[in-house]
Amino acid sequence: MSKSALITGITGQDGSYLAELLLSEGYEVYGLVRRTAHQDYRNLQGIMGRISILEGDLTDESSLVNALSVSQPDEVYNLAAQSFVKASFSQPVSTCETNAIGVVKLLEAVRTTCPSAKVYQASTSELFGNTKICPQNELTPFQPRSPYGYSKLLAYWAIVNVREAYNVFACNGILMNHESERRPMEFVTRKITDGVARIAHGLQDSITLGTLDTRRDWGYAPDYVEAMHLMLQQKTPEDFVIATGVTHTIADFCEAAFAWAGIDDWESRVKLDAKFTRPSDVNLLCGDATKAKEVLGWEPKTSFSELVAKMVTHDMDRYENL
């Protein structure tokens, strides 16, 4: 008998890749989406006829109970969130309502509706903040530096508490930055690759960013959703850091993206403007995924250069076909 899974945030980058993975594994896949005036299903092209879409919202517990009752999932993947760190500074309350209280409501709905379901919570490397410990692993203390970070911190501890107090199979995936061709334009990596493609096609002259010095551990999203699935296939629930263990600056990302597009002198094409910076930022994040390798057998498959090439090629093709 095939398994069933409910994915919140199924229309996003991670949700769509995870849906494709689970379908390939023979799952019956349900996706929870909020009702909006203009729903965007672009990331689900090719699989819409193979998944079931349910309407609901993390802030509305009754809709969560209904979605769980309909889907009767073996596994629940909570990928829905207000995921833009900069926006969280101007919208701290709504960010916490979705990212923190929404998770508490989902866990309560699971406990009352399908207590045997396994739960995956999309946690974040932003929990670590400006820790002086590098690389960061599952034992590194948390020091979040944004409303996004501290909202996710409450969710992290909600998962741990429900796991320990009620024996619910629930785990946190503490994922370092992971990108892809499906990354929204608001994220710096996609802003760069889209900008490079536009420059290559003569549609603009430069890209404006907030900083070039921030250093991140960037991986490829399809690799990372495999880790999510593996976490829920274990006998006991645990939390895992998922990372490549290799860091690059935003300047490195720019250099690689422009080079792949065949554009010289990238520095002259990138402008800086303080309005694109955050009130407080995290300078360096680098993950240690040793536990994931030893327990899950997971390792990243895609290198930094391959990731950049995939994203630039995708955006170059988009403008080529306009």
Side-chain angles (χ1 to χ4, degrees), residues 10-25:
I10 194 171
T11 61
Q13 169 187 263
D14 291 5
S16 59
Y17 282 124
L18 178 61
E20 292 170 0
L21 172 64
L22 296 181
L23 287 172
S24 73
E25 295 285 339

Side-chain angles (χ1 to χ4, degrees), residues 141-159:
F142 299 135
Q143 299 178 25
R145 284 175 55 81
S146 67
Y148 172 79
Y150 63 67
S151 69
K152 285 286 192 172
L153 183 58
L154 189 152
Y156 172 93
W157 285 115
I159 289 289

